[in-house]
Amino acid sequence: WKQEVRANSTPIKWRVLDINHNRILLLSEYVIDFLMYNHGLRYSNLKFSQLTTWYNNIFYPNAFNDQEKEKIIPHNTVILDTDKHTADVRSEKVFSLSCYMANTSFVSDNDRRCKAVPLVSYKCKLKEENYCHWWLQSDYNNLNTSEILVNAKGQVADDYYDQELKYVMIRPAIYVDISALWMKNNNQ
């Protein structure tokens, strides 16, 4: 994945957040890309679908080779609609952490803080030493006044209103099959 201003694609650095049964939850160590924030979309689930489309149609096909894709396990993302008393389930290979995952997978706010890769810092005119916000999956789809993200201080925040956001900072997560990794290592 292209992360440097003047270099070709380089491997993504992943952070292990959880090992559970036969799968590992990985999160990119850095914000690896961004989307322009769409102020015209009013509901979080509609805004988030822009990111889901990016994950599935741009990132996943280009960031992983065929052998890596075989090791990635789909994750069921559940979105609750409290107005309609329903739940929508999506199966995704690449996803944003939920609020629950972001609150339980790190030891502190400081541990949750994140910088962007040099290419994103350059394009968004961020100072390289600055921490930035990154997008979370809302657990509800009827939030229409604010967005759920991790702010530059590492806090899970839902008080960033539309006018404060210019970019959707992307920090993808994936589940990887442990047995596929073990089998590859033993067959070499």
Side-chain angles (χ1 to χ4, degrees), residues 29 59 61 73 78 83 94 115 119 145 148 153-154 166 174 178 180 184:
E29 185 66 30
F59 179 71
I73 302 169
V78 179
D83 290 339
V94 183
K115 294 182 179 184
L119 182 61
T145 57
I148 310 297
K153 296 177 182 177
K166 185 174 180 182
I174 58 174
I178 292 175
K184 180 184 181 224

Side-chain angles (χ1 to χ4, degrees), residues 29-153:
E29 185 66 30
Y30 304 101
V31 165
I32 62 160
D33 214 332
F34 69 97
L35 295 172
M36 294 301 293
Y37 186 81
N38 189 338
H39 292 277
L41 296 176
R42 294 302 305 159
Y43 295 99
S44 295
N45 64 328
L46 296 176
K47 290 176 184 170
F48 197 77
S49 67
Q50 177 187 15
L51 183 54
T52 300
T53 300
W54 183 88
Y55 279 144
N56 294 315
N57 297 340
I58 296 175
F59 179 71
Y60 180 74
N62 295 297
F64 303 103
N65 63 37
D66 291 340
Q67 293 82 15
E68 292 167 334
K69 288 177 185 173
E70 290 175 9
K71 295 170 182 62
I72 297 174
I73 302 169
H75 167 69
N76 288 331
T77 301
V78 179
I79 306 298
L80 303 174
D81 188 327
T82 55
D83 290 339
K84 297 178 184 175
H85 304 288
T86 61
D88 177 33
V89 179
R90 293 189 304 247
S91 182
E92 302 169 328
K93 295 267 188 160
V94 183
F95 55 95
S96 290
L97 292 184
S98 69
C99 297
Y100 175 79
M101 289 173 159
N103 277 314
T104 60
S105 298
F106 298 88
V107 295
S108 67
D109 289 348
N110 194 51
D111 189 37
R112 213 179 282 114
R113 294 175 78 191
C114 179
K115 294 182 179 184
V117 296
L119 182 61
V120 172
S121 294
Y122 174 77
K123 287 183 174 182
C124 295
K125 296 179 176 39
L126 302 173
K127 292 182 180 170
E128 207 167 304
E129 66 276 4
N130 286 358
Y131 290 93
C132 54
H133 71 271
W134 48 281
W135 200 257
L136 293 177
Q137 168 68 57
S138 171
D139 297 323
Y140 301 95
N141 76 356
N142 60 348
L143 299 172
N144 62 3
T145 57
S146 61
E147 303 305 332
I148 310 297
L149 50 83
V150 173
N151 65 26
K153 296 177 182 177

